[in-house]
Amino acid sequence: MKKYEMSDEEKKFLAGYDLTKYDRPSVAADVVVFSVMKDDECEDARRLQEKKLKILLIRRGGFPYKGSWAMPGGFCRKGEDVIDSARRELCEETGIDDAYVKLVGVYGEPGRDPRGWVISSTYMALMNARACRLKAGDDAQDARWFTVELTDVSTEATEVSGTGEENVKNEVEASHKVQNGKKYRLVLKNADSDIKLTAVLRRTDMSSCGRSSDSYYIEECEGLAFDHARIITEAVLGLREDVRRDMELAFDLLPERFTLTELQNVYEQIWDMELTTPNFRRKIAEYVEETDAYQAGERYRPAKLFTRRKDARK
Amino acid sequence: MKKYEMSDEEKKFLAGYDLTKYDRPSVAADVVVFSVMKDDECEDARRLQEKKLKILLIRRGGFPYKGSWAMPGGFCRKGEDVIDSARRELCEETGIDDAYVKLVGVYGEPGRDPRGWVISSTYMALMNARACRLKAGDDAQDARWFTVELTDVSTEATEVSGTGEENVKNEVEASHKVQNGKKYRLVLKNADSDIKLTAVLRRTDMSSCGRSSDSYYIEECEGLAFDHARIITEAVLGLREDVRRDMELAFDLLPERFTLTELQNVYEQIWDMELTTPNFRRKIAEYVEETDAYQAGERYRPAKLFTRRKDARK
DNA sequence: GGAATAGTGTCTTTCAGACATTATACC
DNA sequence: GGTATAATGTCTGAAAGACACTATTCC
């Protein structure tokens, strides 16, 4: 940034100025790390294994939320922009320093961290799983990849109770739901260890304190630290939107060369829906270019490898 | 948020824990306030006056950047979420407490504030100009609306200089531009006072420190405080994108009832392009509903007033 | 009737979805 | 030839863009 030139009067003012006399928060940079990879353990010979969308979580070795799982992150250092703190934390955990990194949100709700006033600036990162080398797992460091399932359960029937009165209440709640809001179930699973983390999120009613972009509050939560269930939910929804706007983001989740089937699978994982192959290929054609190479080691017809097209016309 | 339950061991740990022994930044919440309104002074009788997209800026009465123009904002208070700080500042300046508010970005670049380590969490707000009541203008408080012009000048010819050597340099820069980036000119004007603020922004090269969402650095700047030229640029680009994704955002810039011509004008202002009326009306039909009322006080055929349709199917 | 704005009808092109079909590998 | 995957061709309907046209108001 261009240096700002000060008058002597201003220099004098600043010399006597002390920001630190006011209350200040601690600021953390946290990262929702996305990648796409196989569940390595079930390398069965039956069929081509689908790669799954996963996020990286770390088991907390100390208080607070000791034993719970949390996103990688840490406090910002003076002299470092916040996004660079996120990149530093990301690199420390994964060894990757050139991932795509983008802001997800700022989380500063009072009480979100029992240690005190901590504001989290949260980023999402997209990386190629093959390039990632997780930090060795010592005692304080248990980092694992979890599959992500985020499903809309807004319209699911409320559990029907015995009494008529409760039924009426459920109907009122149901109609409220239709008006006000989405409800999501988040399930994160690590296949190696059978660890399963779950949460239920509801979109906050926006009529009270002004409208704002979607934001969710935690109704139930199992095994996730702090408000990370909420943050992960918003990150996954944000990723879906971002990729819809810019298809090219998906390339950051894959190696340099890939088959079109692999690429299609990435979009299917992100959007949690099936795509029809011919339509997908027509759409993606402008973003990719052929190489001379073919995929090796598969059982049936080998697929051509593609790379990202640098000069994609937009 | 649900209360987290602690063990005695954890309570003991937290009692001895002091976040404040680490370096902490000051955190500010700033707001890019958008509205759509006429230039009141040129109420000429020739033709219907177009309303323009404007942002609200405040002339700084003290150091640093005394006399420059800045977004409304202020430091976050303990016990207050960051977006609520933004809403509070917004309400103090405009009297509006129910605007649409959304995060734009987090700005923490070292040196961005000469007073010290200050991280700005910046929001955009959309409001109906008619509901807005600006804080009375005392000495320290000069708040004005500025028209926004943000134009892409990436492909504009570099000024040709005399010597051949400089020409070569210009060509290299030009080819670099094609690869790497957009360049924007931001012009903010207040018609009452003939104040004109200008800046030139260039998208930062993303090949060095990893890819991330668009971010701009200030090449030239006249009259805008801190890094606000950059932030405003990113807010305007963000607004364009957001409205493209969700057409309904435009309603937050208008009163309860409006004509379709007014509504079309809002989109034309935001996107800085002309829309063809029949196509626009076909597209917008699902979001609006007729009222029985007609616009009063215009010179020719009166236009029907519409309201936002609450149950718009998405 | 003229001028200015409000509002509609329709043709064409483009693009997304559905789905049938062919191609190539290994067994 | 059987099977599983890779890759392509084509029909259809919806939506986007272009643009000519009608309607209503004041003068």
Side-chain angles (χ1 to χ4, degrees):
Chain A
M1 190 178 143
K2 264 175 72 175
K3 191 62 197 155
Y4 161 64
E5 281 165 34
M6 282 184 272
S7 66
D8 286 346
E9 192 190 359
E10 183 157 7
K11 282 180 187 154
K12 211 171 107 191
F13 165 84
L14 287 170
Y17 192 91
D18 182 17
L19 271 173
T20 67
K21 63 190 174 197
Y22 304 107
D23 267 342
R24 285 162 300 143
S26 300
V27 172
D30 296 307
V31 190
V32 183
V33 184
F34 288 103
S35 194
V36 168
M37 66 184 76
K38 291 182 189 173
D39 287 334
D40 321 82
E41 89 298 349
C42 63
E43 193 63 80
D44 59 11
R46 285 195 309 275
R47 48 172 53 244
L48 264 182
Q49 167 111 46
E50 269 193 342
K51 292 183 177 178
K52 296 286 181 60
L53 180 68
K54 300 196 184 186
I55 64 173
L56 182 64
L57 295 177
I58 294 169
R59 189 183 199 105
R60 289 188 56 82
F63 293 123
Y65 291 98
K66 188 173 181 174
S68 292
W69 294 82
M71 300 180 278
F75 291 109
C76 294
R77 296 178 187 163
K78 197 167 179 169
E80 184 181 63
D81 199 349
V82 192
I83 196 171
D84 294 325
S85 303
R87 286 210 187 88
R88 174 175 50 76
E89 299 286 350
L90 179 68
C91 187
E92 285 172 9
E93 289 303 331
T94 66
I96 294 194
D97 62 358
D98 64 346
Y100 170 85
V101 175
K102 190 202 165 202
L103 185 64
V104 170
V106 172
Y107 301 91
E109 192 182 7
R112 63 175 291 279
D113 189 320
R115 289 169 296 186
W117 188 14
V118 179
I119 296 171
S120 166
S121 194
T122 303
Y123 297 82
M124 72 168 85
L126 306 184
M127 60 170 53
N128 165 17
R130 294 225 291 250
C132 168
R133 294 286 166 265
L134 291 187
K135 195 169 166 180
D138 54 34
D139 212 44
Q141 187 69 26
D142 189 4
R144 298 192 185 195
W145 291 98
F146 289 75
T147 56
V148 179
E149 289 168 49
L150 182 67
T151 48
D152 185 339
V153 292
S154 312
T155 52
E156 267 180 25
T158 327
E159 234 175 76
V160 181
S161 327
T163 77
E165 196 152 26
E166 279 176 358
N167 260 338
V168 171
K169 184 159 168 279
N170 285 339
E171 274 170 39
V172 172
E173 277 175 359
S175 75
H176 185 261
K177 237 178 267 172
V178 172
Q179 286 177 1
N180 256 310
K182 295 233 170 246
K183 187 169 160 182
Y184 284 95
R185 173 177 301 281
L186 175 70
V187 180
L188 307 174
K189 280 185 206 153
N190 176 269
D192 299 328
S193 58
D194 268 329
I195 296 171
K196 183 173 162 186
L197 314 172
T198 62
V200 175
L201 294 297
R202 183 188 290 281
R203 183 159 64 187
T204 55
D205 186 327
M206 298 184 291
S207 50
S208 55
C209 60
R211 300 181 55 233
S212 58
S213 50
D214 289 0
S215 114
Y216 293 82
Y217 97 98
I218 300 169
E219 285 196 334
E220 297 167 30
C221 182
E222 294 265 333
L224 279 159
F226 305 103
D227 50 0
H228 289 194
R230 170 192 175 180
I231 298 178
I232 290 166
T233 298
E234 294 184 18
V236 173
L237 293 171
L239 176 66
R240 288 179 184 173
E241 274 283 342
D242 290 348
V243 173
R244 216 166 270 288
R245 195 170 32 189
D246 180 5
M247 302 261 307
E248 295 196 71
L249 288 183
F251 296 124
D252 288 298
L253 292 164
L254 287 173
E256 187 68 23
R257 301 204 288 187
F258 47 83
T259 68
L260 295 184
T261 304
E262 286 174 324
L263 183 57
Q264 181 176 338
N265 177 57
V266 170
Y267 294 101
E268 291 178 332
Q269 291 297 320
I270 291 172
W271 293 330
D272 192 26
M273 64 185 294
E274 291 194 348
L275 303 177
T276 56
T277 305
N279 302 337
F280 170 73
R281 295 195 174 204
R282 189 174 49 205
K283 176 115 181 153
I284 208 69
E286 59 177 315
Y287 301 110
V288 297
E289 54 191 27
E290 284 187 2
T291 68
D292 296 329
Y294 287 81
Q295 188 182 41
E298 292 301 334
R299 272 172 291 277
Y300 302 104
R301 175 175 173 180
K304 201 175 258 278
L305 290 173
F306 286 75
T307 57
R308 172 177 195 168
R309 182 166 180 159
K310 297 301 179 199
D311 63 331
R313 54 214 163 235
K314 295 203 182 182
Chain B
M1 191 179 143
K2 264 175 72 175
K3 190 62 197 154
Y4 161 65
E5 282 165 32
M6 283 184 272
S7 66
D8 287 346
E9 192 191 358
E10 185 158 5
K11 281 179 187 155
K12 211 172 106 191
F13 166 84
L14 286 169
Y17 192 90
D18 182 18
L19 272 173
T20 67
K21 62 190 172 196
Y22 303 107
D23 267 343
R24 284 163 300 143
S26 300
V27 172
D30 296 308
V31 190
V32 183
V33 184
F34 287 103
S35 195
V36 169
M37 67 185 74
K38 290 183 188 172
D39 285 335
D40 321 83
E41 88 298 351
C42 62
E43 193 63 78
D44 59 11
R46 284 196 309 275
R47 48 173 52 246
L48 264 182
Q49 166 109 47
E50 269 194 342
K51 292 183 177 177
K52 296 286 180 62
L53 181 68
K54 300 197 182 184
I55 63 173
L56 181 64
L57 295 177
I58 293 168
R59 189 181 198 107
R60 289 187 57 82
F63 292 122
Y65 290 99
K66 188 173 180 173
S68 293
W69 294 82
M71 300 180 276
F75 290 109
C76 293
R77 296 178 187 164
K78 198 167 179 170
E80 184 181 62
D81 200 348
V82 191
I83 195 170
D84 294 325
S85 303
R87 286 208 187 90
R88 174 174 51 76
E89 299 287 349
L90 179 67
C91 187
E92 285 173 10
E93 289 303 331
T94 65
I96 293 193
D97 62 359
D98 64 347
Y100 171 85
V101 174
K102 190 202 164 203
L103 184 64
V104 171
V106 172
Y107 301 92
E109 194 182 7
R112 63 176 291 279
D113 189 320
R115 290 169 295 185
W117 188 14
V118 179
I119 296 172
S120 166
S121 195
T122 303
Y123 296 82
M124 71 168 84
L126 307 184
M127 60 170 53
N128 164 18
R130 293 226 291 252
C132 170
R133 295 285 166 266
L134 290 188
K135 196 169 165 181
D138 56 35
D139 211 45
Q141 188 68 26
D142 189 5
R144 300 194 184 193
W145 291 98
F146 289 76
T147 57
V148 180
E149 288 168 49
L150 181 68
T151 49
D152 186 339
V153 292
S154 313
T155 53
E156 268 179 25
T158 327
E159 233 173 77
V160 181
S161 328
T163 77
E165 196 151 26
E166 280 175 354
N167 259 339
V168 170
K169 185 160 166 279
N170 285 340
E171 275 169 39
V172 171
E173 277 174 0
S175 75
H176 185 261
K177 236 178 267 173
V178 171
Q179 287 177 0
N180 257 311
K182 296 233 169 246
K183 187 169 161 181
Y184 284 96
R185 175 177 301 280
L186 176 70
V187 181
L188 307 174
K189 280 185 206 152
N190 175 269
D192 300 327
S193 58
D194 268 329
I195 295 171
K196 182 172 163 186
L197 314 172
T198 62
V200 176
L201 293 295
R202 184 187 289 281
R203 184 158 64 187
T204 55
D205 187 326
M206 298 185 291
S207 52
S208 54
C209 61
R211 300 182 56 233
S212 58
S213 50
D214 289 0
S215 117
Y216 293 82
Y217 97 98
I218 299 169
E219 284 196 336
E220 296 168 30
C221 182
E222 295 265 333
L224 278 159
F226 305 103
D227 50 358
H228 289 193
R230 170 194 175 179
I231 298 178
I232 291 166
T233 298
E234 295 185 16
V236 173
L237 293 172
L239 177 65
R240 288 179 183 173
E241 275 282 341
D242 290 348
V243 174
R244 216 166 270 287
R245 196 169 33 187
D246 180 5
M247 303 259 309
E248 296 196 70
L249 288 182
F251 296 123
D252 289 298
L253 292 165
L254 286 173
E256 187 69 22
R257 300 204 289 186
F258 47 83
T259 69
L260 294 184
T261 305
E262 286 174 322
L263 183 58
Q264 182 176 339
N265 176 58
V266 171
Y267 293 101
E268 290 178 334
Q269 291 297 318
I270 291 171
W271 293 329
D272 192 26
M273 63 185 292
E274 291 193 349
L275 303 177
T276 55
T277 304
N279 302 338
F280 170 74
R281 296 196 172 204
R282 190 173 51 202
K283 175 115 181 151
I284 208 68
E286 59 176 315
Y287 300 110
V288 298
E289 53 192 28
E290 284 188 2
T291 68
D292 297 330
Y294 286 81
Q295 189 180 41
E298 291 300 334
R299 272 171 290 275
Y300 301 104
R301 175 177 173 179
K304 202 177 257 281
L305 291 173
F306 285 75
T307 56
R308 173 177 193 170
R309 181 168 182 158
K310 298 299 178 199
D311 62 332
R313 54 212 161 237
K314 297 205 180 178

